[in-house]
Amino acid sequence: MLLSLHVKNLAIINEVEVFFKDNLNILTGETGAGKSIIIGSINIALGGKINKDIIRKGADYALVELVFQIDDENTIEAMKAYDIPISDGQLIIQRKIMNNRSISKINGENVTSSILKGISSLIIDIHGQHEHQSLLLKNKHLSILDRYAKDEIVTLKKELNQKYRNYLEVKQKVEESTMDEDKKIREISFLEYEINEIENAKLKKEEDSILLQRYKKLSSANAIAEGLALVNGFTGYDNSNSAGDSIGRAVKALNKLENMDDDINNFIRQLLDIESYISDFNRDIESYQKSLSYEPEELREVEERLNLINNLKSKYGESIDNILEYCKAAHDKLEKLIDYDNYVNTLKLEQKQLEEELEELSNELSIIRKKKANILASKIKEALIDLNFLDVRFEMSFERLNHYTQNGFDDVEFMISTNPGEDIKPLSKVASGGELSRVMLAIKSVLADNDAINTLIFDEIDVGVSGRTAQKVSEKLSFIANSHQVLCITHLPQIAAMADSHYIIEKKTKNDSTSTSIRELSEDESIEEIARILGGAEITENVITNAREMKVLAAKTKKF
């Protein structure tokens, strides 16, 4: 369940923090008080879109934080796929908005939008002001049915989805395989030329690096030889000022002092070591000088080989590995073209096989859907009757698409008749705005019994509803709240009276600054708020009495 909501610097909200409770949480307030901003902030925290002016004027950032308590083991297990640490079932979702960018965190760890939305779908279901309009879209009907049937179809849909992706890949290859004979001959000729050019080069891995090193050495052989001769002159024994000659003379001078002072021996040993190092160094240089050979022919051959490799790189890839991979791919393509008819036939056979598998999986899925559709339609009809659709008929029609999709071949549509004697018709052609909101509430109530999602939010589910129907809607919300946490924004006194916890959203102005606040009402304050909704501008004692009677009636209703 949603334990708390903390909002700071968002739109007209300076800072609010509210703690929600289990069962039915009702939010009311004057028009324009910011009720939708409160619910909108929850949407924002869960990855919803952000308006560019969402940060409160004068603030550097906006912050929304939600704290959930997750007790359902299946939900916790499902969250492990997202690798989010959960301690004692507590989940803290935070989104900070700064300069047209935002950072989302779950339990202190940065998360992507896809992870945020994936986790949100496990713990909360938000019905916004206009979501009931989505019932006019047929594809929404199939998703509702699949959500109801998910326990029986989840594995089947995964298999179907993968098979459909494979099918699309093969289908695309078949569509791209159309080629006339002249084009095929030209393509074969060109591929053979490329393959021969690469294979004739007899490339070896890392050959270019080795050749480049050799080229540098050969092209600089004279400069290297001259430089080493100079170094040998500085460090050898041939010149009177060279290091080797000078150190030799220094050793002789120290030897003359050896008998005069025993400590001189230490200097002699050190200098002899230095003389030995220099002697070894000079021998190594002389040996390397002798190994140096400058052959113009070898330099020319190395240069030509590098030019050949670089030319191939410019055509087929940035490295020898890329060139060899290109050659392999060209070989594969050439084999297909040489045996082109067989290649195309093989693809078509594979496509046909995948179509047969898709047909089987789609048919299996359709059978399950139709069975679950009968059950779901019956339950939705019962829920609609509870919501004052007294003579309602509700069914789901199935048509077959003329193509396969990742969801199979079913085309599902909700059908309804709301008056006696009327033919059953598509929901989109019958229901008014108020009726659509009740249909959505009926669907939500049925799905709630079938879902592990504990928290449900309804933003103005009461649109277009009044009188006896409003009472029925309130009873349905209360019924759902027996097993779920429900948050509901409402303008109707019948729904407000049914609250287990009642919150008021208020807008206040102080020092030319406007801000929205939210607080929980006491029992007496709740009665006063219901009276405000009932009475409008003037709240009389009779209105107060009426509000109190509505609370008493709601309490009695909740007992049954």
Side-chain angles (χ1 to χ4, degrees), residues 70 79 246 304 434 489 491 515 553 557:
I70 313 299
M79 285 185 183
S246 297
E304 288 179 354
I489 288 180
H491 296 290
S515 63
L553 177 62
T557 302

Side-chain angles (χ1 to χ4, degrees), residues 43-88:
N43 259 320
I44 287 172
L46 299 176
K49 292 183 179 180
I50 304 171
N51 296 328
K52 61 181 180 179
D53 56 351
I54 196 68
I55 300 176
R56 184 175 171 84
K57 185 178 179 180
D60 296 326
Y61 69 91
L63 176 71
V64 186
E65 185 177 80
L66 308 175
V67 180
F68 289 89
Q69 180 64 39
I70 313 299
D71 297 320
D72 182 73
E73 292 297 328
N74 292 329
T75 303
I76 293 174
E77 188 64 28
M79 285 185 183
K80 290 181 180 178
Y82 296 99
D83 198 27
I84 298 296
I86 299 178
S87 178
D88 298 325

Side-chain angles (χ1 to χ4, degrees), residues 203-210 320-321 324:
L203 299 174
K204 298 175 183 177
K205 289 191 175 184
E206 299 183 5
E207 178 186 5
D208 49 348
S209 299
I210 297 170
I320 288 178
D321 283 345
L324 295 175

Side-chain angles (χ1 to χ4, degrees), residues 309-310 312-320 322-323 326:
I309 292 173
N310 288 332
L312 293 175
K313 284 181 179 179
S314 69
K315 292 181 178 180
Y316 307 117
E318 296 179 352
S319 67
I320 288 178
N322 292 148
I323 296 169
Y326 184 94

Side-chain angles (χ1 to χ4, degrees), residues 12-15 33 56 506-510 513-517:
I12 61 171
I13 296 175
N14 182 21
E15 185 168 15
R56 184 175 171 84
E506 300 171 303
K507 185 166 67 174
K508 299 178 181 179
T509 301
K510 183 178 181 181
S513 176
T514 301
S515 63
T516 289
S517 64

Side-chain angles (χ1 to χ4, degrees), residues 481-545:
N482 285 331
S483 55
H484 295 75
Q485 181 193 38
V486 176
L487 276 65
C488 178
I489 288 180
T490 186
H491 296 290
L492 294 179
Q494 294 94 330
I495 296 177
M498 200 67 74
D500 296 303
S501 302
H502 190 171
Y503 302 83
I504 187 168
I505 299 169
E506 300 171 303
K507 185 166 67 174
K508 299 178 181 179
T509 301
K510 183 178 181 181
N511 298 328
D512 297 325
S513 176
T514 301
S515 63
T516 289
S517 64
I518 179 171
R519 61 186 177 88
E520 185 177 2
L521 300 177
S522 66
E523 182 72 13
D524 288 342
E525 288 174 325
S526 177
I527 291 171
E528 290 176 5
E529 173 63 7
I530 294 168
R532 180 195 66 78
I533 299 172
L534 279 169
E538 185 177 357
I539 302 175
T540 65
E541 190 60 37
N542 287 336
V543 175
I544 292 287
T545 301

Side-chain angles (χ1 to χ4, degrees), residues 159-174:
E159 185 180 356
L160 177 63
N161 191 277
Q162 181 60 54
K163 199 71 67 178
Y164 180 70
R165 286 201 298 269
N166 296 342
Y167 169 73
L168 288 182
E169 290 177 7
V170 173
K171 186 171 181 285
Q172 183 177 357
K173 288 179 182 178
V174 170

